[in-house]
């Protein structure tokens, strides 16, 4: 199974909710790609939980959460 930019996942890895990365082995994640995915996920969550917010405020909140989560992962 291939995800993203072509790393071949084993069947065991495909069943996991995450994939371990290793710079030494050449398996990594681009920070831009990670941040894009985090922003999309957090925006969707903010929109669901806070529909009363203006769209601009939802986007800013989603971005702030995504940056914080990225700091956790990086």
């Amino acid at each position: 199974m291939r995800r993203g930019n072509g790393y071949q996942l084993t069947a065991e890895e495909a069943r996991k909710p995450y994939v371990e990365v290793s710079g030494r082995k050449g398996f990594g994640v681009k920070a831009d790609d990670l941040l894009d995915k985090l922003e999309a996920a957090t925006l969707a969550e903010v929109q669901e939980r806070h529909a009363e917010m203006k769209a601009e405020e939802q986007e800013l909140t989603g971005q702030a959460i995504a940056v914080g989560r990225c700091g956790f992962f990086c």
Side-chain angles (χ1 to χ4, degrees), residues 21-27:
V21 296
S22 169
R24 290 183 180 199
K25 294 179 182 177
F27 306 135

Side-chain angles (χ1 to χ4, degrees), residues 35-49:
L35 193 53
D36 288 345
K37 289 189 180 282
L38 289 173
E39 284 180 353
T42 56
L43 177 58
E45 189 69 24
V46 169
Q47 287 171 334
E48 183 179 320
R49 291 184 184 207

Side-chain angles (χ1 to χ4, degrees), residues 9-68:
L9 297 178
T10 65
E12 182 181 340
E13 289 174 324
R15 286 190 295 273
K16 291 182 179 180
Y18 62 90
V19 176
E20 294 180 20
V21 296
S22 169
R24 290 183 180 199
K25 294 179 182 177
F27 306 135
V29 175
K30 293 179 183 173
D32 285 341
D33 293 342
L34 176 61
L35 193 53
D36 288 345
K37 289 189 180 282
L38 289 173
E39 284 180 353
T42 56
L43 177 58
E45 189 69 24
V46 169
Q47 287 171 334
E48 183 179 320
R49 291 184 184 207
H50 301 286
E52 75 285 355
M53 288 177 147
K54 293 180 182 177
E56 183 178 345
E57 188 177 5
Q58 288 175 337
E59 288 179 20
L60 291 173
T61 302
Q63 287 174 346
I65 294 169
V67 169

